[in-house]
């Protein structure tokens, strides 16, 4: 029987682990196959306090993990496949293996969204990607497109300029949603060309991406553009599939937490980070809520006489 199981190992989960292990709760972290979360596919993090020169995302997560390990967090690099929160102790499964816990902290984060085109699926890994950091280097001196108008799209486009001959940003409106500083960098970059009011409607090619079809949604005109790679950067979906029916989620699938706390609809189950935050979604806010979750869990266990 575990006192606390933490599911997910991004900034939220690892901060919860640091706090829970320092509180002698000896947490078990089931970190997932994609351990470290979204920062593992980020390059420079320039807005995490304490690193005035910036730090690479994977390096930051490595430091978080080392700190959690130092205080006795145990790690299991597998995915939780099923949970039962209907009674105490809570039950969690990793395949056939079952775990029991008095409290659970969910910090499973969010994953990249796709447009839903058949061709997008077909070319995934053969020119279509949702992670420039992972795949950008394959497109040296080639032409790539980035779909989206938020900060992620700006970040991906700017990163891709390091490799690509030209980067085309395709955005469905005539203004970016991204912060002004990022949007300005993209607009002023000599290697970046922007297609406003435009939608990617198809991806064509034989074995790999060769051309894309883009529709101008003002004129309805469709043009075919030679392209070697397509990066989809249109936002994220919370990783809550295994919690459906177990705890309350909002219509977009984010876990609902009680105001000013990490309490979910099930007493003893807490949620932190992007999995419950469609608004801020920053490493620092995730880390902050991970700290809150560990404190909430510790106090809750104490009140249970544990
Ligand atoms: P956002 O939700 O901010 O932006 C998504 C973008 O994709 C929007 O421009 C949206 O268009 C577009 N989009 C969504 N669905 C579709 C679709 N089906 N077809 C075409 N376009 C679509 O997500 P991000 O991932 O960019 O950012 C999420 C949060 O993370 C934000 O708060 C952002 O500021 C933050 N962030 C911060 C970074 C940093 O500070 N370094 C880096 C990355 C993210 P529309 O504008 O029309 O809605």
């Amino acid at each position: 029987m575990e006192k606390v199981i933490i599911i997910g190992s991004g900034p939220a989960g690892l901060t919860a682990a640091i706090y829970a292990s320092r509180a002698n709760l000896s947490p078990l972290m089931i970190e997932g196959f994609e351990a470290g979360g979204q920062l593992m596919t980020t390059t420079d993090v320039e807005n995490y306090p304490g690193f005035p020169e910036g730090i690479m995302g994977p390096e930051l997560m490595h430091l978080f993990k080392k700190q959690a390990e130092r205080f006795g967090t145990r790690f299991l690099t597998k995915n939780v496949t099923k949970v039962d929160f209907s009674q105490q102790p809570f039950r969690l499964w990793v395949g056939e293996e079952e775990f029991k816990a008095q409290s659970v902290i969910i910090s499973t984060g969010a994953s990249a969204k796709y447009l839903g085109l058949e061709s997008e699926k077909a070319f995934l890994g053969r020119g279509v990607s949702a992670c420039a950091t992972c795949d950008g280097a394959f497109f040296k001196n080639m032409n790539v497109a980035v779909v989206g108008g938020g900060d992620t799209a700006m970040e991906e486009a700017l990163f891709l300029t390091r490799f690509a001959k030209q980067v085309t940003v395709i955005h469905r409106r005539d203004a970016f949603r991204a912060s002004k500083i990022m949007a300005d960098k993209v607009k002023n970059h000599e290697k970046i060309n922007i297609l406003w009011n435009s939608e990617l409607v198809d991806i064509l090619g034989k074995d790999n991406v060769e051309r894309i079809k883009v529709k101008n949604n003002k004129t309805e005109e469709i043009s075919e553009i030679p392209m070697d790679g397509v990066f989809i950067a249109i936002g994220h979906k919370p990783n809550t599939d295994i919690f459906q029916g177990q705890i309350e989620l909002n219509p977009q699938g984010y876990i609902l937490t009680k105001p000013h706390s990490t309490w979910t609809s099930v007493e003893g189950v807490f949620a932190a980070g992007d999995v419950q935050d469609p608004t801020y979604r920053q490493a620092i806010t995730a880390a902050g809520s991970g700290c809150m979750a560990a404190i909430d869990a510790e106090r809750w266990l104490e009140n249970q006489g544990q």
Side-chain angles (χ1 to χ4, degrees), residues 115 149-152 155 171-173 177 234-236 281-282:
L115 295 166
D151 279 323
T152 303
E155 207 175 58
H171 184 39
R172 61 184 178 185
R173 292 188 295 125
R177 175 177 298 279
I234 60 168
H236 294 82
R281 310 190 55 245
Q282 300 300 299

Side-chain angles (χ1 to χ4, degrees), residues 122 138 153 157 196-197 214 224 227 240 258:
F138 299 127
W196 300 106
N197 301 307
V214 177
E224 220 172 278
M227 199 62 72
T240 51
K258 305 226 158 85

Side-chain angles (χ1 to χ4, degrees), residues 59-72:
E59 173 64 9
L60 182 60
M61 286 302 89
H62 173 68
L63 295 173
F64 271 55
K65 186 168 177 180
K66 254 174 79 174
Q67 197 168 348
E69 264 168 348
R70 180 180 153 206
F71 298 111

Side-chain angles (χ1 to χ4, degrees), residues 22-90:
R22 288 194 78 245
N24 273 339
L25 294 175
S26 181
L28 172 67
M29 166 166 280
I30 306 181
E31 62 177 353
F33 290 122
E34 289 170 40
Q38 291 175 74
L39 279 187
M40 299 303 281
T41 56
T42 303
T43 47
D44 296 312
V45 180
E46 293 185 328
N47 50 13
Y48 199 87
F51 299 92
E53 307 302 326
I55 182 165
M56 301 303 272
E59 173 64 9
L60 182 60
M61 286 302 89
H62 173 68
L63 295 173
F64 271 55
K65 186 168 177 180
K66 254 174 79 174
Q67 197 168 348
E69 264 168 348
R70 180 180 153 206
F71 298 111
T73 303
R74 291 159 299 134
F75 291 86
L76 182 64
T77 311
K78 289 189 175 163
N79 286 347
V80 173
T81 47
K82 194 170 89 170
V83 297
D84 181 358
F85 295 157
S86 63
Q87 55 187 16
Q88 271 282 3
F90 303 124

Side-chain angles (χ1 to χ4, degrees), residues 141-154:
N141 291 324
M142 296 188 195
N143 293 313
V144 298
V146 174
V147 181
D151 279 323
T152 303
M154 303 300 107

Side-chain angles (χ1 to χ4, degrees), residues 88 102 263 267-268 297-306:
Q88 271 282 3
Q102 287 164 326
W263 283 53
E267 256 199 40
E298 185 191 349
R299 290 186 182 156
W300 184 80
L301 286 166
E302 206 168 272
N303 286 337
Q304 305 300 302
Q306 305 296 336

Side-chain angles (χ1 to χ4, degrees), residues 108-126:
T108 46
S111 303
K113 274 198 222 163
Y114 287 90
L115 295 166
L117 303 171
E118 275 301 315
S119 51
E120 177 189 45
K121 245 192 259 162
F123 285 111
L124 203 59
R126 295 192 292 129

